[in-house]
């Protein structure tokens, strides 16, 4: 039974840190929210270990006052207001799992770090969300988390495990009635789109005589989730939502500097801001004719 108050179409996104959702899926989230889809974001950590870009906020960092987490809760709320998404939650509640830092750091093994948490300990929190919201579509990362960050890998594992457990009739009936998610997608970027974006960035930098507003330019290999075009099964044209996506990214001011159609993370390397977003369907049936990409993640879903 689905809550009769919920809209007919429901989308769940699982991310590691505040800001990942806007970078990867900002246009997709804005589009579906505008279309009346119930969009639920679950963020697994507060991103406490992130580096801070604005010098005036540097005091918040983990190696200083360690107050970045609560600050990023506010940034995420502002970003969701830009995208029109009201249902955003933290896995197990805010601060239940801590940012593990980059792979290999001692923070990976700290008690409470998301990476050091057993998948089966974290997954039930997401099972409860799945059985409550009952999404037809789930979006998360690939098994490498897009680029190997421990929290992104763990978010993938927890999302995939929770999708399995939520459908399991015998699992934890106290968390709600079983629910099978019809379609699961991983975030992807087609190699041709990444290459075209960097070519545009380099051309702009060459014309203006500077690397736009950023000291350097990233490489295609720095972009999470880049794969051969043939692996892409769905593309969301986010042209109409480009402004909202950029505004949501700007709301994550401690993490992202936006300059027109480009942005940089704390490494100060410019990269293209993709307004169209791409996916690989890994569970469920494509609603598109064989060999064609879906242009809607709900294609073929009975509501
Ligand atoms: Zn992240």
């Amino acid at each position: 039974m689905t809550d009769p108050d919920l809209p007919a179409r429901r989308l769940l996104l699982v991310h590691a840190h505040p800001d990942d959702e806007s970078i990867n899926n900002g246009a997709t989230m804005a589009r579906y929210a505008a279309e009346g889809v119930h969009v639920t974001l679950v963020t697994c950590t507060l991103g406490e270990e992130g580096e801070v870009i604005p010098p005036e906020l540097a005091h918040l960092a983990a190696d200083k006052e360690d107050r970045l987490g609560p600050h990023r809760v506010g940034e995420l709320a502002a970003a969701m207001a830009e995208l029109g998404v009201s249902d955003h939650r933290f896995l197990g509640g805010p601060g239940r799992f801590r940012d593990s830092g980059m792979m290999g750091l001692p923070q990976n093994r700290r008690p409470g770090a998301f990476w050091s948490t057993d998948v089966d300990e974290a997954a039930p929190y997401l099972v409860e969300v799945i059985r409550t919201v009952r999404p037809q579509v789930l979006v998360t990362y690939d098994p490498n988390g897009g680029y190997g960050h421990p929290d992104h890998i763990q978010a993938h594992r927890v999302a995939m495990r929770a999708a399995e457990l939520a459908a399991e009739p015998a699992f934890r009936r106290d968390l709600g009635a079983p629910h099978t998610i019809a379609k699961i997608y991983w975030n992807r970027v087609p190699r041709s789109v990444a290459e075209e974006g960097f070519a545009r960035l380099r051309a702009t930098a060459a014309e203006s005589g500077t690397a736009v507003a950023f000291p350097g330019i990233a490489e295609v290999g720095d972009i999470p989730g880049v794969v051969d075009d043939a692996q892409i099964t769905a593309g969301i044209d986010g042209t109409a939502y480009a402004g909202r996506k950029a505004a949501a990214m700007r709301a994550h001011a401690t993490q992202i500097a936006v300059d027109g159609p480009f942005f940089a993370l704390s490494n100060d390397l410019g990269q293209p801001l993709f307004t169209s977003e791409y996916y690989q369907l890994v569970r469920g049936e494509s609603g598109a004719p064989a060999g064609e990409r879906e242009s809607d993640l709900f294609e073929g879903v009975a509501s």
Side-chain angles (χ1 to χ4, degrees), residues 17-97:
H17 312 110
D19 81 352
D20 293 316
E21 79 298 323
S22 297
I23 298 170
N24 285 279
N25 311 111
T28 302
M29 293 171 76
R31 169 188 158 175
Y32 284 117
E35 288 183 5
V37 171
H38 187 86
V39 178
T40 302
L41 169 68
V42 174
T43 307
C44 296
T45 77
L46 304 187
E48 295 94 331
E49 298 294 321
E51 288 180 50
V52 177
I53 296 176
E56 65 275 18
L57 294 175
H59 61 95
L60 296 173
D63 59 357
K64 300 198 171 69
E65 296 171 6
D66 195 14
R67 293 196 292 124
L68 184 56
H71 184 84
R72 294 185 70 177
V73 172
E75 290 184 339
L76 181 64
M80 293 305 95
E82 298 290 356
L83 299 181
V85 171
S86 54
D87 184 6
H88 51 95
R89 316 166 183 219
F90 288 95
L91 187 67
R96 175 66 185 77
F97 300 108

Side-chain angles (χ1 to χ4, degrees), residues 56-136:
E56 65 275 18
L57 294 175
H59 61 95
L60 296 173
D63 59 357
K64 300 198 171 69
E65 296 171 6
D66 195 14
R67 293 196 292 124
L68 184 56
H71 184 84
R72 294 185 70 177
V73 172
E75 290 184 339
L76 181 64
M80 293 305 95
E82 298 290 356
L83 299 181
V85 171
S86 54
D87 184 6
H88 51 95
R89 316 166 183 219
F90 288 95
L91 187 67
R96 175 66 185 77
F97 300 108
R98 183 167 170 123
D99 188 334
S100 313
M102 298 302 257
M103 190 63 92
L105 294 178
Q107 289 93 316
N108 296 174
R109 296 184 303 277
R110 180 159 47 193
F114 193 41
W115 181 243
S116 70
T117 303
D118 196 87
V119 170
D120 281 339
E121 183 191 328
Y125 293 107
L126 190 57
V127 170
E128 187 169 20
V129 175
I130 293 170
R131 287 181 172 177
T132 303
V133 177
R134 312 184 79 74
Q136 295 102 337

Side-chain angles (χ1 to χ4, degrees), residues 23-25 140 142 146 186-198 219-235 245 263 271-280 293:
I23 298 170
N24 285 279
N25 311 111
T140 190
D142 64 52
W186 292 343
N187 288 305
R188 293 299 197 188
V189 177
R191 194 173 309 280
S192 67
V193 170
E195 285 172 351
E196 186 276 329
F198 277 103
E219 306 280 340
V220 169
D222 297 325
I223 305 299
V226 174
V227 290
D228 290 340
D229 291 26
Q231 286 190 51
I232 308 293
T233 65
K245 174 170 181 167
F263 75 99
Q271 53 179 292
L273 194 166
F274 300 118
T275 53
S276 289
E277 295 165 346
Y278 298 88
Y279 302 91
Q280 179 180 5
R293 282 183 191 166

